[in-house]
Amino acid sequence: MIRALHWQDGAIQEVAVDQVAALARDKARAGLLWVDIEGEPEEPSRDLLEKGFGFHYLAVDDCLNVRVDMPKLDDYDSYLFIVGQRLAYDDENDELHSAEIDLFLGDNYVVTYHDQRFPELEEVGDRMLEGVHRTERGADFLARTILDVVVDEYLPVVEMIQEDADRLEDMVVANPSPACLEATRTLRRNATQLRRALGPMRDVLNRLSRGEFPTLVQAEHQIYFRDVYDHVARVEELTVVIREQADLALTSYLSVTNNRLNSAMRVLAIISVIFLPPTLIAGVFGTNFEENLPYGESWGVLFMFVLFVVVDLLVIAFLRMRRLI
């Protein structure tokens, strides 16, 4: 699906796809053009991006590849190519999903490309048609709005992962089962994926907010990019806390497990020490002597059991004296 919106002289309207290329090539024509490409096949998308807008084929290749690239910003003089990541969290399966959104920012146009449906972008387009969005502020402000919509999804995702981290801490204390170890690994994996997405995204917004591209980002709009940058920075701080919680949960799980194992080994060792002397005595009494066998007399078995008890009592007394039991 390709959706194109064109604003000029205070009026905004949707335009047909076959008119997009002409509007993009008409540099003298004032106004603002936004083209949103969603899940289009590679060939028509490449024709529109390379031939219609004249974008570099390297940037177009980054758009059309199937993998999810890390956030980045490339400067092509007359336009900027921005790669961002959308984040979504599957609370039932504790899985963090990421999707790529690509953005081209020119002096009077914005082009976005994404494989998956993005309802928030559709809402931005509807607000533009309703006149709610300040379209007259230009392409850079529209790009900022789109990036802000992407970043707004970060905080709810991090909060859900934070809740999982809190529950995991309670589980480790209450019942450190093997399921806790698997949950800890999942939490660490999600925290790592968050940091990989948020760190580069923060750098992209930092470059947009510090006046590095004066011809494409107006000075009065840098503060809005800085606001989005602050949102990402705050969310990134929360991911550090989540990673620390995951490490603490793993350490607590291993500590509790080791304590349980040590307690079990201690009990087994004490039992072995207690039963070792009777085993030795039984072995001696069970030796095949040629004459004068202990079992030959009626008192032999009784003597052996009395000796068992006496030796075990001496062993237990020794262990208690050494405070081993």
Side-chain angles (χ1 to χ4, degrees), residues 65-83:
N65 60 34
V66 295
R67 67 178 182 272
V68 178
D69 295 321
M70 301 295 291
K72 67 173 184 176
L73 188 153
D74 293 332
D75 183 9
Y76 288 92
D77 294 332
S78 61
Y79 63 90
L80 300 178
F81 174 60
I82 302 171
V83 177

Side-chain angles (χ1 to χ4, degrees), residues 155 158-159 162 233-243:
L155 184 57
V158 173
E159 287 179 344
Q162 180 80 56
R234 287 196 295 269
V235 173
E236 189 178 17
E237 292 177 358
L238 294 178
T239 62
V240 175
V241 176
I242 293 175
R243 183 57 186 259

